[in-house]
Amino acid sequence: GAGVSQTPSNKVTEKGKYVELRCDPISGHTALYWYRQSLGQGPEFLIYFQGTGAADDSGLPNDRFFAVRPEGSVSTLKIQRTERGDSAVYLCASTNGGGATEAFFGQGTRLTVV
Amino acid sequence: SQQGEEDPQALSIQEGENATMNCSYKTSINNLQWYRQNSGRGLVHLILIRSNEREKHSGRLRVTLDTSKKSSSLLITASRAADTASYFCATDAGTALIFGKGTTLSVSS
């Protein structure tokens, strides 16, 4: 695609439910990142994929959060037993994986847990 | 985790004035990047400066990097109302880009 696509753009879920957030990176980009951003804060790193594997998942806050990228393209961020504190904008970005390259961001998914 | 810290947190100026934002970071980096965000959604890349560079220009943007002080600055010259946005620095230490908390710039006409 022309850019990074994230779906849905908005998601409202009840506390305790399971949610999946999808990211379609730019075609051919090998690196993919997930970030979480709360109001008035900068993007907080969650996980980074190089190809199919998670190269760095040190930002995942706890074991309720999990992400996959089975074919090295589309990625899904999965959140189990959602809590109100999970409410935020979840941002996805991709790069071509080379050194010193810019990241292209999607428009994000605004998750609201009620 | 967040490594960069931008200063000031908020900046209000008049059109035509220059805006300067600063970023400090903690660990060694390969490069530092600046991003802009409108309305709290997607970020747009502005400029990248490598660790062996000291200054870089792109249009009305000027970025400096001082690795000895672990700091960078972003200067926007001749600001316009359309420059109103949040600006973030992001450090690349070889894995993920780590963002600061940002500077909110407001340019009034």
Side-chain angles (χ1 to χ4, degrees), chain A residues 87-104:
Chain A
S87 296
V89 175
Y90 289 80
L91 296 165
C92 175
S94 69
T95 77
N96 65 17
T101 57
E102 67 177 280
F104 293 83

Side-chain angles (χ1 to χ4, degrees), chain A residues 9-10 33 35 37 40-45 48 56 89 91 99-103 105-110, chain B residues 1-2 31 33 35 37 39-45 48 50 88 92 94-102:
Chain A
S9 56
N10 288 282
Y33 305 82
Y35 292 87
Q37 187 175 28
Q41 300 294 313
E44 175 191 7
F45 168 70
Y48 155 56
D56 184 350
V89 175
L91 296 165
T101 57
E102 67 177 280
F105 279 80
Q107 290 302 299
T109 294
R110 184 179 301 279
Chain B
S1 61
Q2 293 188 299
N31 65 76
Q33 305 180 29
Y35 287 78
Q37 185 178 42
S39 306
R41 298 305 282 256
L43 285 85
V44 175
H45 179 266
L48 180 153
R50 291 178 169 77
F88 297 91
D92 179 355
T95 55
L97 280 177
I98 303 298
F99 286 81
K101 295 183 179 180

Side-chain angles (χ1 to χ4, degrees), chain B residues 28-102:
Chain B
S28 296
I29 60 172
N30 295 334
N31 65 76
L32 185 143
Q33 305 180 29
W34 286 90
Y35 287 78
R36 166 193 166 128
Q37 185 178 42
N38 289 82
S39 306
R41 298 305 282 256
L43 285 85
V44 175
H45 179 266
L46 295 176
I47 195 166
L48 180 153
I49 185 164
R50 291 178 169 77
S51 60
N52 62 354
E53 298 175 312
R54 292 296 168 259
E55 186 171 315
K56 201 161 183 180
H57 297 254
S58 176
R60 294 184 295 113
L61 305 180
R62 172 178 171 255
V63 169
T64 63
L65 179 64
D66 187 333
T67 53
S68 66
K69 294 181 180 178
K70 291 188 170 59
S71 67
S72 173
S73 68
L74 171 68
L75 169 67
I76 304 174
T77 61
S79 63
R80 306 166 181 167
D83 294 329
T84 295
S86 292
Y87 293 82
F88 297 91
C89 67
T91 53
D92 179 355
T95 55
L97 280 177
I98 303 298
F99 286 81
K101 295 183 179 180

Side-chain angles (χ1 to χ4, degrees), chain A residues 1-68:
Chain A
V4 178
S5 175
Q6 292 188 245
T7 54
S9 56
N10 288 282
K11 175 72 176 177
V12 180
T13 190
E14 292 180 346
K15 179 176 177 295
K17 299 288 189 183
Y18 167 83
V19 296
E20 290 189 351
L21 312 179
R22 176 186 168 106
C23 174
D24 273 279
I26 292 174
S27 179
H29 277 193
T30 58
L32 184 147
Y33 305 82
W34 282 100
Y35 292 87
R36 175 170 72 173
Q37 187 175 28
S38 300
L39 193 63
Q41 300 294 313
E44 175 191 7
F45 168 70
L46 297 177
I47 186 169
Y48 155 56
F49 287 91
Q50 186 62 256
T52 60
D56 184 350
D57 64 357
S58 62
L60 294 177
N62 52 60
D63 60 7
R64 295 187 298 106
F65 288 75
F66 190 70
V68 295

Side-chain angles (χ1 to χ4, degrees), chain A residues 23 80-81 103:
Chain A
C23 174
Q80 297 178 320
R81 305 183 302 280

